[in-house]
Amino acid sequence: MTIGSTSTPEGWAEGMCADEFRETSARVADWIADYRSRVADFPVTPDVKPGEIAALLPSTAPEQPESMDAILADLEDTILPGLTHWSHPGFMAYFASSASAPGILAEFVAAALNVNAMLWRTSPAATELELRVVDWICNFVGLPDTFSGVILDTASTSTFTALTAARHKAVPAVRERGLAGRAELGPLTVYISEHAHSSQDRAVIAAGIGLDHLRHVPADKDHAVRPDELARLIQADREAGCIPVMVSGTIGTTSSTAVDPCQELAAICEQEDIWFHVDAAYAGPAASLPELRQEFLGWERADSIVLNPHKWMFTPMDCSILVYRNPAAIRAAMALTPEYLASDFEAPDLMDYGLALGRRFRALKLWFIFRHFGAEGLRRRFRYHIGLAQELVSWLETDPRFELVGRARFATVCLTAVPPAGEDPYEWNRRLMAAVNGHREVLLSHTVLDGRYVIRVSIGNESVRKETVRRAYELLCDEHDQMCAKGIEA
């Protein structure tokens, strides 16, 4: 039986020649430019039901080559109508994740180069550019030059990586012996705010610590973690034979952009010799603004910090930066070099600082973005978004139909509508947000704070303008009034 053949099969589809690629890529670039120019004309969310797009797609891959004309036509007619447009100016749900033109171009170039920056020798320029743009980021947000770091995919991975380093520091021989069956070890414990992002819960699961040993520290009226409660929990756990592994503070919580008191948390961690991590995935870039630097006091004392340029820095997904004060501590937890990857070069191999062996050329996106916008251009855009958020706050403050929830420190505004007497506020606000999103002009999200259903308006897309924010406010007002009128009629 012949397994392989060196003869060219009949109907062989040759790869694109340079001229064909040049022509086709120009068409794709035109399509991208056209999409970006008309994204505001689409509904933010699609009008489709689960399974509807899949029903339009063949159940098996095509056996024969298809033309680029057919592929682009299906992209336009089948895929595009089923997308939620994250770069739409009306996308104000979750945190923004808009792709700027230089970031898109960098993705194009990175795909063409297709390097794997796992070892220095597998791509020296990719490794050294990554280290340099991380230095740029640290300088941009005012961190001391004692910090260095790597680019990973998302904050979930960055947080998990930090936790593995914290676990390695706290538990002797954990790399070799693991955690199971070690009677000499008490339970490992991790401490986060009750308002911390769920990626931290997931990291605790993945690290084998277990949710039963994750402490959600109570917060104050501003939804910031209470240092006295943290200290109390750590003491109680030590007395019970537990091993505290990591404390994580947040600057810019997902629900309300609250800011944990990092100075005080850092002091506790230093006294207790516990790894201190800071989640600044959303708000981190805002530290580049001198007028907001006070919100970040104490983060420079952290052992590790995560910032996500793919949130509020116009970088296409995915791009998360993990920075740390002690690279050796990260490497000690993660590094493992098989013989076939061994190298004699005295240079950092970035695969040693995270779980992934294969590493995309993500640094190229940040390099393009910093050079295209300039640091001051980025700061101007952050200030513009913060100004829009403050304008929305001014409209809500004078409108008796709404109440602000928390303080809009950055560019996310939390509010709750005041329902008529006798209405359930939770259900009323849930229905209000659904009605606003039903227009598909804007997309808002929600959270629950202190038992209240809270509507979030997160401003951060590169394309957002004042009229879009005004439209979101008008829709809230109009739907509120219509719901009141229907209640009276009933």
Side-chain angles (χ1 to χ4, degrees):
M1 179 180 177
T2 302
I3 302 298
S5 172
T6 58
S7 61
T8 302
E10 185 178 352
W12 180 265
E14 297 290 349
M16 287 186 185
C17 68
D19 288 342
E20 185 182 358
F21 179 80
R22 186 175 292 109
E23 178 186 350
T24 305
S25 61
R27 290 177 57 199
V28 173
D30 284 344
W31 187 91
I32 294 170
D34 180 61
Y35 169 73
R36 286 174 53 79
S37 67
R38 62 190 169 118
V39 65
D41 299 331
F42 291 104
V44 185
T45 51
D47 185 17
V48 295
K49 296 179 178 61
E52 194 170 321
I53 302 301
L56 300 175
L57 302 171
S59 58
T60 60
E63 288 289 342
Q64 300 302 323
E66 298 185 16
S67 69
M68 189 58 67
D69 286 339
I71 297 170
L72 291 177
D74 286 344
L75 174 63
E76 182 73 29
D77 299 336
T78 302
I79 304 302
L80 203 57
L83 293 179
T84 295
H85 299 282
W86 282 66
S87 290
H88 193 290
F91 187 100
M92 293 181 250
Y94 316 112
F95 288 131
S97 182
S98 61
S100 62
I104 294 168
L105 293 172
E107 285 279 24
F108 193 12
V109 175
L113 297 174
N114 196 36
V115 300
N116 183 346
M118 55 181 182
L119 304 171
W120 178 88
R121 67 180 171 86
T122 61
S123 195
T127 295
E128 296 187 16
L129 182 64
E130 180 166 336
L131 295 172
R132 182 50 50 91
V133 296
V134 170
D135 288 344
W136 286 5
I137 284 281
C138 291
N139 177 266
F140 181 58
V141 300
L143 286 170
D145 59 12
T146 50
F147 277 87
S148 58
V150 292
I151 305 176
L152 303 174
D153 52 4
T154 67
S156 297
T157 302
S158 294
T159 299
F160 172 74
T161 303
L163 181 54
T164 60
R167 185 186 61 180
H168 182 266
K169 173 187 175 184
V171 182
V174 69
R175 276 179 56 120
E176 294 74 26
R177 298 178 58 194
L179 298 174
R182 297 182 64 177
E184 80 278 13
L185 294 180
L188 310 188
T189 50
V190 173
Y191 306 83
I192 64 175
S193 167
E194 59 183 320
H195 298 288
H197 191 269
S198 61
S199 62
Q200 306 201 45
D201 301 61
R202 292 163 65 92
V204 164
I205 295 171
I209 292 171
L211 292 176
D212 286 349
H213 307 299
L214 175 62
R215 309 296 188 234
H216 287 92
V217 185
D220 61 21
K221 62 181 178 59
D222 294 320
H223 309 118
V225 72
R226 290 178 52 185
D228 61 327
E229 287 289 337
L230 172 65
R232 180 185 65 79
L233 286 170
I234 292 172
Q235 180 180 357
D237 281 335
R238 288 204 188 279
E239 291 172 356
C242 298
I243 302 174
V245 170
M246 186 172 86
V247 171
S248 182
T250 305
I251 300 177
T253 59
T254 302
S255 286
S256 65
T257 67
V259 173
D260 289 337
C262 288
Q263 286 278 41
E264 294 165 81
L265 300 187
I268 292 171
C269 290
E270 289 162 6
Q271 179 179 342
E272 297 285 346
D273 193 26
I274 302 172
W275 188 283
F276 181 36
H277 177 69
V278 172
D279 177 356
Y282 160 64
S288 64
L289 305 178
E291 62 269 28
L292 288 184
R293 198 62 61 79
Q294 74 275 4
E295 304 288 358
F296 296 83
L297 293 177
W299 78 329
E300 74 284 352
R301 297 166 68 180
D303 294 286
S304 55
I305 303 170
V306 57
L307 311 90
N308 280 6
H310 68 226
K311 283 190 168 70
W312 196 10
M313 207 168 147
F314 325 122
T315 305
M317 287 285 291
D318 49 31
C319 185
S320 177
I321 297 179
L322 175 67
V323 299
Y324 32 74
R325 283 194 289 127
N326 183 0
I330 302 290
R331 190 180 185 282
M334 302 299 292
L336 181 67
T337 305
E339 181 57 37
Y340 57 82
L341 293 178
S343 171
D344 293 330
F345 290 104
E346 293 294 327
D349 294 326
L350 298 186
M351 69 174 190
D352 292 343
Y353 299 86
L355 184 62
L357 179 64
R359 308 185 76 261
R360 296 179 60 233
F361 198 177
R362 297 184 181 94
L364 210 58
K365 292 185 283 192
L366 290 175
W367 192 55
F368 271 48
I369 285 169
F370 264 121
R371 297 189 67 185
H372 176 81
F373 291 115
E376 182 53 35
L378 291 170
R379 285 190 286 265
R380 281 198 300 270
R381 284 162 175 80
F382 301 153
R383 288 187 175 106
Y384 178 67
H385 293 157
I386 293 167
L388 291 177
Q390 291 305 314
E391 190 140 17
L392 175 59
V393 165
S394 71
W395 300 334
L396 293 166
E397 282 178 330
T398 57
D399 192 329
R401 293 169 289 190
F402 303 100
E403 292 179 1
L404 290 165
V405 179
R407 180 162 67 89
R409 292 174 176 81
F410 305 108
T412 298
V413 179
C414 295
L415 63 110
T416 187
V418 180
E423 293 283 355
D424 175 22
Y426 190 102
E427 179 62 17
W428 176 272
N429 277 277
R430 188 194 66 78
R431 287 165 47 210
L432 173 62
M433 193 185 79
V436 170
N437 287 344
H439 288 267
R440 297 160 60 210
E441 296 180 49
V442 300
L443 183 63
L444 311 182
S445 64
H446 82 284
T447 190
V448 175
L449 290 168
D450 305 322
R452 305 166 77 189
Y453 192 99
V454 173
I455 298 171
R456 298 171 69 260
V457 184
S458 188
I459 300 163
N461 265 315
E462 186 196 11
S463 60
V464 71
R465 298 293 182 266
K466 179 178 178 178
E467 53 267 25
T468 317
V469 179
R470 183 71 192 184
R471 181 57 181 156
Y473 171 66
E474 290 171 351
L475 287 170
L476 285 165
C477 295
D478 292 347
E479 289 298 335
H480 184 284
D481 293 347
Q482 289 185 39
M483 287 170 61
C484 287
K486 288 177 182 176
I488 293 173
E489 291 170 3

